[in-house]
Amino acid sequence: MTPATRSVRAAVRAVGVAAAISVMASSAVACSTGSERTERDGAAVDRGDMVMVSEVRSLTNPYEAAWVQGSRAYAESLGIELKVIVYGGDSQNALSQLQSVLAAGKTVLLNINPNTSADTPAIVRAVQNSGGCAVTQWSKPSDLHPWDVGNGWASYVAYDGVQQGADTGKALVDSLGGTGGVIALQGLLANEISQTRFQGFQQAMDGQSGVTLLDDQPADFDRNKAYTTTQTLLNKYGDQVNGIWAATDSMALGALQAVREAGRAGEIKIASAADATPEGLGAIADGELLSTYTTDPYFNGAMGLAICYQAMTGEIDVASLPPENREFYVDQSLITASNVDRFRTVPSDEEIVRSVQDPFSRITGPVAR
Protein backbone atom coordinates (compact mmCIF):
# COMPACT_ATOMS: atom_id res chain seq x y z
CA MET A 1 0.00 0.00 0.00
CA THR A 2 1.38 3.42 -0.93
CA PRO A 3 1.67 6.31 1.57
CA ALA A 4 -0.94 8.18 -0.46
CA THR A 5 -3.36 5.27 -0.21
CA ARG A 6 -2.77 5.01 3.54
CA SER A 7 -3.49 8.72 3.86
CA VAL A 8 -6.76 8.41 1.95
CA ARG A 9 -7.83 5.40 4.06
CA ALA A 10 -6.97 7.20 7.28
CA ALA A 11 -9.19 10.08 6.20
CA VAL A 12 -12.00 7.65 5.33
CA ARG A 13 -11.69 6.02 8.76
CA ALA A 14 -11.84 9.41 10.48
CA VAL A 15 -15.06 10.22 8.63
CA GLY A 16 -16.36 6.76 9.38
CA VAL A 17 -15.71 6.94 13.12
CA ALA A 18 -17.38 10.35 13.24
CA ALA A 19 -20.35 8.85 11.42
CA ALA A 20 -20.38 5.96 13.87
CA ILE A 21 -20.49 8.33 16.80
CA SER A 22 -23.38 10.15 15.16
CA VAL A 23 -25.27 6.91 14.53
CA MET A 24 -24.69 5.66 18.07
CA ALA A 25 -25.77 8.95 19.58
CA SER A 26 -28.93 9.14 17.53
CA SER A 27 -30.24 5.66 18.26
CA ALA A 28 -29.24 2.03 18.22
CA VAL A 29 -32.39 1.36 16.25
CA ALA A 30 -31.58 3.64 13.34
CA CYS A 31 -33.31 2.52 10.19
CA SER A 32 -31.87 1.80 6.78
CA THR A 33 -32.49 5.24 5.34
CA GLY A 34 -30.95 8.65 5.89
CA SER A 35 -27.31 7.64 6.53
CA GLU A 36 -24.47 8.70 4.25
CA ARG A 37 -22.64 5.76 2.73
CA THR A 38 -18.86 5.70 2.42
CA GLU A 39 -17.44 2.96 0.20
CA ARG A 40 -13.82 1.78 0.46
CA ASP A 41 -11.63 2.23 -2.62
CA GLY A 42 -11.56 -1.50 -3.44
CA ALA A 43 -7.76 -1.90 -3.34
CA ALA A 44 -6.36 -4.94 -1.56
CA VAL A 45 -5.30 -4.33 2.05
CA ASP A 46 -1.96 -5.53 3.47
CA ARG A 47 -2.18 -7.99 6.37
CA GLY A 48 -0.13 -5.64 8.52
CA ASP A 49 -2.80 -2.98 8.14
CA MET A 50 -5.59 -5.32 9.30
CA VAL A 51 -6.97 -6.10 12.72
CA MET A 52 -9.52 -8.87 13.19
CA VAL A 53 -12.25 -8.35 15.80
CA SER A 54 -14.42 -11.06 17.33
CA GLU A 55 -17.24 -9.67 19.43
CA VAL A 56 -19.37 -11.76 21.84
CA ARG A 57 -21.45 -11.35 24.98
CA SER A 58 -19.50 -13.56 27.38
CA LEU A 59 -16.60 -15.99 27.48
CA THR A 60 -18.32 -17.93 30.26
CA ASN A 61 -20.88 -18.99 27.65
CA PRO A 62 -19.36 -22.19 26.17
CA TYR A 63 -20.80 -21.49 22.71
CA GLU A 64 -19.21 -18.05 22.56
CA ALA A 65 -15.93 -19.32 24.04
CA ALA A 66 -15.78 -21.87 21.20
CA TRP A 67 -16.66 -19.09 18.71
CA VAL A 68 -13.65 -17.07 19.93
CA GLN A 69 -11.45 -20.17 19.72
CA GLY A 70 -12.43 -20.45 16.06
CA SER A 71 -11.67 -16.75 15.49
CA ARG A 72 -8.28 -17.07 17.19
CA ALA A 73 -7.29 -20.15 15.18
CA TYR A 74 -8.07 -18.34 11.93
CA ALA A 75 -6.34 -15.06 12.85
CA GLU A 76 -3.22 -16.87 14.08
CA SER A 77 -3.05 -18.91 10.87
CA LEU A 78 -2.60 -15.63 8.99
CA GLY A 79 -0.45 -13.85 11.59
CA ILE A 80 -3.05 -11.08 11.97
CA GLU A 81 -3.79 -9.44 15.31
CA LEU A 82 -7.11 -10.50 16.88
CA LYS A 83 -9.00 -8.31 19.35
CA VAL A 84 -11.71 -10.05 21.34
CA ILE A 85 -14.46 -7.74 22.58
CA VAL A 86 -16.64 -9.11 25.38
CA TYR A 87 -19.58 -6.76 25.89
CA GLY A 88 -21.38 -8.51 28.70
CA GLY A 89 -24.83 -8.28 27.15
CA ASP A 90 -24.59 -4.47 27.12
CA SER A 91 -25.43 -3.07 23.66
CA GLN A 92 -23.85 0.34 24.28
CA ASN A 93 -20.69 -1.34 25.57
CA ALA A 94 -20.50 -3.41 22.38
CA LEU A 95 -20.67 -0.27 20.26
CA SER A 96 -18.29 1.85 22.30
CA GLN A 97 -15.57 -0.84 22.42
CA LEU A 98 -15.85 -1.31 18.67
CA GLN A 99 -15.61 2.45 18.20
CA SER A 100 -12.29 2.46 20.07
CA VAL A 101 -10.84 -0.20 17.77
CA LEU A 102 -12.09 1.62 14.66
CA ALA A 103 -10.48 4.85 15.85
CA ALA A 104 -7.07 3.16 16.25
CA GLY A 105 -6.47 3.36 12.49
CA LYS A 106 -6.16 -0.20 11.21
CA THR A 107 -8.65 -1.77 8.80
CA VAL A 108 -11.18 -3.68 10.91
CA LEU A 109 -12.44 -7.13 9.92
CA LEU A 110 -15.37 -7.75 12.28
CA ASN A 111 -17.24 -10.95 13.08
CA ILE A 112 -20.00 -10.28 15.61
CA ASN A 113 -22.97 -11.84 17.33
CA PRO A 114 -24.95 -8.65 18.14
CA ASN A 115 -26.74 -8.40 21.46
CA THR A 116 -30.10 -7.61 19.85
CA SER A 117 -31.45 -7.13 16.36
CA ALA A 118 -31.67 -3.38 16.95
CA ASP A 119 -27.89 -3.11 17.49
CA THR A 120 -27.00 -4.21 13.96
CA PRO A 121 -27.60 -0.95 11.99
CA ALA A 122 -25.19 1.15 14.09
CA ILE A 123 -22.53 -1.58 14.13
CA VAL A 124 -22.45 -2.27 10.40
CA ARG A 125 -22.56 1.42 9.44
CA ALA A 126 -19.67 2.18 11.79
CA VAL A 127 -17.55 -0.48 10.07
CA GLN A 128 -18.80 0.42 6.59
CA ASN A 129 -17.92 4.07 7.04
CA SER A 130 -14.47 3.25 8.42
CA GLY A 131 -13.54 1.32 5.26
CA GLY A 132 -13.60 -2.01 7.09
CA CYS A 133 -15.61 -5.19 6.68
CA ALA A 134 -18.29 -6.73 8.90
CA VAL A 135 -20.02 -10.09 9.01
CA THR A 136 -22.90 -10.29 11.46
CA GLN A 137 -24.59 -13.43 12.68
CA TRP A 138 -27.81 -14.53 14.36
CA SER A 139 -29.75 -11.29 14.63
CA LYS A 140 -30.71 -8.24 12.54
CA PRO A 141 -33.85 -6.23 11.68
CA SER A 142 -35.87 -8.10 9.07
CA ASP A 143 -36.12 -5.04 6.80
CA LEU A 144 -32.37 -4.28 6.74
CA HIS A 145 -30.04 -6.13 4.37
CA PRO A 146 -26.27 -5.98 3.72
CA TRP A 147 -26.75 -4.45 0.26
CA ASP A 148 -28.78 -1.63 1.83
CA VAL A 149 -25.70 -0.53 3.77
CA GLY A 150 -22.84 -1.23 1.37
CA ASN A 151 -19.98 -3.58 0.60
CA GLY A 152 -18.52 -3.03 4.07
CA TRP A 153 -21.28 -5.27 5.46
CA ALA A 154 -20.24 -8.33 3.51
CA SER A 155 -22.71 -10.92 4.79
CA TYR A 156 -25.38 -11.70 7.33
CA VAL A 157 -25.35 -15.31 8.55
CA ALA A 158 -28.58 -16.77 9.89
CA TYR A 159 -29.59 -20.00 11.53
CA ASP A 160 -33.08 -21.48 11.26
CA GLY A 161 -34.32 -20.92 14.77
CA VAL A 162 -37.83 -22.11 13.90
CA GLN A 163 -36.44 -25.50 12.93
CA GLN A 164 -34.32 -25.65 16.09
CA GLY A 165 -37.29 -24.85 18.30
CA ALA A 166 -39.67 -27.19 16.46
CA ASP A 167 -37.36 -30.22 16.43
CA THR A 168 -36.31 -29.88 20.07
CA GLY A 169 -39.89 -29.13 21.14
CA LYS A 170 -40.98 -32.34 19.41
CA ALA A 171 -38.22 -34.25 21.21
CA LEU A 172 -39.60 -32.96 24.51
CA VAL A 173 -43.22 -33.79 23.65
CA ASP A 174 -42.24 -37.29 22.47
CA SER A 175 -40.30 -37.94 25.70
CA LEU A 176 -43.46 -37.19 27.67
CA GLY A 177 -45.55 -39.58 25.62
CA GLY A 178 -47.73 -36.66 24.56
CA THR A 179 -48.98 -35.90 28.07
CA GLY A 180 -47.88 -33.49 30.79
CA GLY A 181 -47.08 -29.92 31.78
CA VAL A 182 -44.05 -28.01 30.51
CA ILE A 183 -42.34 -24.69 31.12
CA ALA A 184 -40.22 -22.77 28.59
CA LEU A 185 -37.16 -20.58 29.11
CA GLN A 186 -36.63 -18.04 26.34
CA GLY A 187 -33.49 -16.01 25.63
CA LEU A 188 -33.51 -12.21 25.22
CA LEU A 189 -37.00 -11.27 24.08
CA ALA A 190 -35.61 -8.62 21.67
CA ASN A 191 -33.25 -11.11 20.03
CA GLU A 192 -34.37 -12.49 16.67
CA ILE A 193 -33.02 -16.01 17.14
CA SER A 194 -34.63 -16.22 20.56
CA GLN A 195 -37.95 -15.24 19.02
CA THR A 196 -37.72 -17.77 16.19
CA ARG A 197 -36.71 -20.65 18.48
CA PHE A 198 -39.71 -20.01 20.70
CA GLN A 199 -41.90 -19.75 17.60
CA GLY A 200 -40.69 -23.21 16.56
CA PHE A 201 -41.30 -24.59 20.05
CA GLN A 202 -44.86 -23.25 19.94
CA GLN A 203 -45.35 -24.98 16.57
CA ALA A 204 -44.28 -28.27 18.16
CA MET A 205 -46.85 -27.71 20.90
CA ASP A 206 -49.68 -26.96 18.47
CA GLY A 207 -52.07 -29.86 18.23
CA GLN A 208 -50.64 -31.53 21.32
CA SER A 209 -53.84 -31.49 23.35
CA GLY A 210 -52.31 -33.62 26.08
CA VAL A 211 -49.37 -31.26 26.72
CA THR A 212 -49.90 -27.96 28.53
CA LEU A 213 -47.52 -25.00 28.43
CA LEU A 214 -47.73 -23.93 32.07
CA ASP A 215 -45.49 -20.86 31.77
CA ASP A 216 -42.76 -19.24 29.68
CA GLN A 217 -40.23 -16.76 30.97
CA PRO A 218 -37.15 -14.97 29.53
CA ALA A 219 -33.83 -16.07 31.03
CA ASP A 220 -31.75 -13.87 28.67
CA PHE A 221 -29.36 -16.68 27.61
CA ASP A 222 -28.02 -16.56 31.19
CA ARG A 223 -27.42 -19.78 33.13
CA ASN A 224 -27.84 -18.24 36.57
CA LYS A 225 -31.08 -16.54 35.57
CA ALA A 226 -32.35 -19.83 34.14
CA TYR A 227 -31.48 -21.53 37.43
CA THR A 228 -33.39 -19.03 39.59
CA THR A 229 -36.31 -18.81 37.15
CA THR A 230 -36.67 -22.60 37.16
CA GLN A 231 -36.59 -22.67 40.96
CA THR A 232 -39.41 -20.12 41.01
CA LEU A 233 -41.51 -22.02 38.47
CA LEU A 234 -40.96 -25.38 40.19
CA ASN A 235 -42.15 -23.85 43.45
CA LYS A 236 -45.15 -22.33 41.67
CA TYR A 237 -46.31 -25.38 39.66
CA GLY A 238 -44.84 -28.27 41.67
CA ASP A 239 -45.68 -31.72 40.33
CA GLN A 240 -47.46 -30.24 37.30
CA VAL A 241 -44.03 -29.71 35.72
CA ASN A 242 -43.00 -32.73 33.67
CA GLY A 243 -40.79 -31.07 31.08
CA ILE A 244 -38.62 -27.98 30.46
CA TRP A 245 -37.67 -26.47 27.11
CA ALA A 246 -34.80 -23.94 27.01
CA ALA A 247 -33.54 -21.87 24.07
CA THR A 248 -29.84 -22.69 24.74
CA ASP A 249 -27.64 -25.22 26.50
CA SER A 250 -26.55 -22.73 29.16
CA MET A 251 -30.15 -22.12 30.21
CA ALA A 252 -31.00 -25.82 30.02
CA LEU A 253 -28.03 -26.57 32.30
CA GLY A 254 -29.17 -23.89 34.75
CA ALA A 255 -32.62 -25.52 34.76
CA LEU A 256 -31.00 -28.95 35.25
CA GLN A 257 -29.23 -27.70 38.37
CA ALA A 258 -32.53 -26.47 39.82
CA VAL A 259 -34.21 -29.80 38.95
CA ARG A 260 -31.40 -31.76 40.63
CA GLU A 261 -31.68 -29.65 43.80
CA ALA A 262 -35.45 -30.25 43.80
CA GLY A 263 -34.74 -34.00 43.79
CA ARG A 264 -36.47 -34.48 40.43
CA ALA A 265 -33.52 -35.28 38.13
CA GLY A 266 -34.58 -37.88 35.58
CA GLU A 267 -38.24 -37.28 36.39
CA ILE A 268 -38.45 -33.91 34.62
CA LYS A 269 -37.35 -34.07 30.96
CA ILE A 270 -35.23 -31.15 29.69
CA ALA A 271 -34.62 -30.15 26.06
CA SER A 272 -32.18 -27.52 24.83
CA ALA A 273 -32.73 -25.85 21.45
CA ALA A 274 -29.15 -24.90 20.62
CA ASP A 275 -25.41 -24.55 21.14
CA ALA A 276 -24.05 -28.10 21.54
CA THR A 277 -21.65 -27.06 24.29
CA PRO A 278 -19.29 -29.71 25.68
CA GLU A 279 -21.20 -29.75 28.98
CA GLY A 280 -24.52 -29.94 27.16
CA LEU A 281 -23.30 -32.83 25.02
CA GLY A 282 -22.04 -34.59 28.14
CA ALA A 283 -25.46 -34.17 29.76
CA ILE A 284 -27.12 -35.73 26.69
CA ALA A 285 -24.67 -38.65 26.81
CA ASP A 286 -25.50 -39.08 30.52
CA GLY A 287 -29.24 -39.01 29.83
CA GLU A 288 -29.87 -35.73 31.68
CA LEU A 289 -30.74 -33.63 28.60
CA LEU A 290 -32.81 -34.77 25.63
CA SER A 291 -31.43 -32.63 22.84
CA THR A 292 -29.51 -29.67 21.52
CA TYR A 293 -28.70 -28.24 18.09
CA THR A 294 -25.27 -27.54 16.67
CA THR A 295 -24.34 -24.74 14.32
CA ASP A 296 -20.60 -25.43 14.86
CA PRO A 297 -19.38 -22.43 16.88
CA TYR A 298 -15.75 -23.02 15.85
CA PHE A 299 -16.75 -22.65 12.20
CA ASN A 300 -18.97 -19.65 12.99
CA GLY A 301 -16.13 -17.84 14.78
CA ALA A 302 -13.75 -18.30 11.87
CA MET A 303 -16.17 -18.03 8.94
CA GLY A 304 -17.02 -14.33 9.34
CA LEU A 305 -13.35 -13.37 9.52
CA ALA A 306 -12.58 -15.56 6.48
CA ILE A 307 -15.25 -13.81 4.39
CA CYS A 308 -13.86 -10.40 5.35
CA TYR A 309 -10.25 -11.46 4.78
CA GLN A 310 -11.08 -12.72 1.30
CA ALA A 311 -12.94 -9.46 0.61
CA MET A 312 -10.06 -7.29 1.81
CA THR A 313 -7.43 -9.21 -0.16
CA GLY A 314 -9.45 -9.21 -3.38
CA GLU A 315 -10.11 -12.95 -3.42
CA ILE A 316 -13.82 -12.18 -3.55
CA ASP A 317 -15.61 -9.07 -4.77
CA VAL A 318 -18.43 -8.34 -2.36
CA ALA A 319 -20.21 -6.16 -4.92
CA SER A 320 -20.39 -9.13 -7.31
CA LEU A 321 -21.63 -11.68 -4.78
CA PRO A 322 -25.17 -12.95 -5.39
CA PRO A 323 -27.75 -12.08 -2.70
CA GLU A 324 -27.60 -15.72 -1.57
CA ASN A 325 -23.98 -15.12 -0.44
CA ARG A 326 -24.82 -11.85 1.31
CA GLU A 327 -27.67 -13.16 3.49
CA PHE A 328 -27.98 -16.88 4.08
CA TYR A 329 -28.69 -19.84 6.33
CA VAL A 330 -25.93 -22.33 7.13
CA ASP A 331 -26.02 -26.03 7.94
CA GLN A 332 -27.11 -27.18 11.40
CA SER A 333 -27.85 -30.54 13.05
CA LEU A 334 -30.18 -31.88 15.74
CA ILE A 335 -28.29 -33.81 18.43
CA THR A 336 -29.89 -36.44 20.65
CA ALA A 337 -28.64 -39.51 22.51
CA SER A 338 -28.66 -41.42 19.22
CA ASN A 339 -25.88 -39.34 17.61
CA VAL A 340 -24.23 -37.33 20.42
CA ASP A 341 -20.90 -39.18 20.31
CA ARG A 342 -20.26 -37.90 16.77
CA PHE A 343 -20.25 -34.28 18.00
CA ARG A 344 -18.12 -34.53 21.16
CA THR A 345 -14.69 -34.14 19.55
CA VAL A 346 -13.25 -30.60 19.61
CA PRO A 347 -11.71 -29.71 16.22
CA SER A 348 -8.02 -28.86 15.97
CA ASP A 349 -6.93 -25.39 14.87
CA GLU A 350 -5.89 -26.86 11.53
CA GLU A 351 -9.33 -28.38 11.05
CA ILE A 352 -11.02 -25.07 11.90
CA VAL A 353 -8.90 -23.17 9.37
CA ARG A 354 -9.44 -25.82 6.71
CA SER A 355 -13.22 -25.68 7.27
CA VAL A 356 -13.37 -22.00 6.21
CA GLN A 357 -11.15 -22.16 3.14
CA ASP A 358 -14.47 -21.75 1.33
CA PRO A 359 -16.46 -19.79 3.93
CA PHE A 360 -19.64 -20.18 1.85
CA SER A 361 -19.42 -23.97 1.70
CA ARG A 362 -22.12 -24.60 4.32
CA ILE A 363 -24.84 -22.38 2.87
CA THR A 364 -28.19 -24.19 2.87
CA GLY A 365 -30.30 -21.42 1.36
CA PRO A 366 -31.11 -17.72 1.30
CA VAL A 367 -32.83 -16.02 4.22
CA ALA A 368 -36.49 -15.64 3.30
CA ARG A 369 -37.29 -12.11 2.14
Side-chain angles (χ1 to χ4, degrees), residues 226-364:
Y227 166 68
T228 57
T229 300
T230 302
Q231 283 184 317
T232 300
L233 295 178
L234 290 177
N235 288 332
K236 181 177 180 179
Y237 294 103
D239 291 342
Q240 295 180 70
V241 180
N242 305 111
I244 298 173
W245 177 89
T248 64
D249 281 10
S250 60
M251 294 191 295
L253 292 165
L256 175 59
Q257 182 182 350
V259 167
R260 286 172 176 157
E261 292 176 5
R264 301 185 64 187
E267 174 190 345
I268 296 178
K269 307 300 183 183
I270 304 173
S272 165
D275 285 357
T277 63
E279 189 177 358
L281 295 175
I284 291 174
D286 292 340
E288 293 186 298
L289 292 185
L290 295 170
S291 66
T292 186
Y293 240 100
T294 181
T295 60
D296 193 346
Y298 305 98
F299 176 81
N300 300 347
M303 168 187 49
L305 297 179
I307 292 173
C308 281
Y309 179 74
Q310 292 185 7
M312 285 299 174
T313 55
E315 187 172 343
I316 60 173
D317 177 13
V318 174
S320 299
L321 290 175
E324 293 76 13
N325 284 35
R326 301 290 302 275
E327 192 173 285
F328 54 84
Y329 287 118
V330 295
D331 188 39
Q332 56 184 8
S333 300
L334 173 67
I335 301 174
T336 65
S338 65
N339 63 352
V340 65
D341 289 341
R342 183 156 60 91
F343 296 94
R344 297 189 71 183
T345 302
V346 176
S348 67
D349 288 356
E350 292 76 17
E351 289 172 327
I352 293 169
V353 173
R354 192 162 53 245
S355 73
V356 297
Q357 285 180 341
D358 176 3
F360 300 113
S361 63
R362 296 190 185 181
I363 291 177
T364 59

Side-chain angles (χ1 to χ4, degrees), residues 32-151:
S32 60
T33 60
S35 293
E36 183 178 354
R37 176 187 296 189
T38 304
E39 292 286 3
R40 58 186 292 269
D41 56 22
V45 179
D46 293 338
R47 289 187 189 181
D49 293 323
M50 299 179 189
V51 58
M52 292 183 167
V53 179
S54 189
E55 207 166 344
V56 297
R57 290 186 190 82
S58 168
L59 293 180
T60 61
N61 180 311
Y63 169 82
E64 295 189 305
W67 162 302
V68 169
Q69 184 177 335
S71 296
R72 182 168 289 112
Y74 186 71
E76 288 180 353
S77 74
L78 296 168
I80 297 174
E81 178 187 9
L82 174 72
K83 289 189 178 296
V84 177
I85 294 177
V86 180
Y87 56 83
D90 182 331
S91 297
Q92 186 58 43
N93 185 28
L95 289 164
S96 61
Q97 288 200 64
L98 174 60
Q99 176 193 349
S100 296
V101 179
L102 291 170
K106 286 193 172 183
T107 298
V108 167
L109 283 63
L110 173 68
N111 187 32
I112 184 170
N113 176 9
N115 195 39
T116 71
S117 302
D119 297 347
T120 299
I123 290 168
V124 296
R125 288 199 173 94
V127 176
Q128 161 79 29
N129 291 334
S130 75
C133 174
V135 169
T136 64
Q137 302 191 37
W138 290 107
S139 190
K140 74 168 183 61
S142 60
D143 61 348
L144 182 69
H145 309 285
W147 47 88
D148 294 333
V149 174
N151 298 332

Side-chain angles (χ1 to χ4, degrees), residues 165-166 195 197-207 213 216:
Q195 296 166 0
R197 283 177 191 157
F198 187 62
Q199 179 186 345
F201 168 71
Q202 290 175 306
Q203 288 180 6
M205 294 287 292
D206 287 346
L213 178 59
D216 67 271

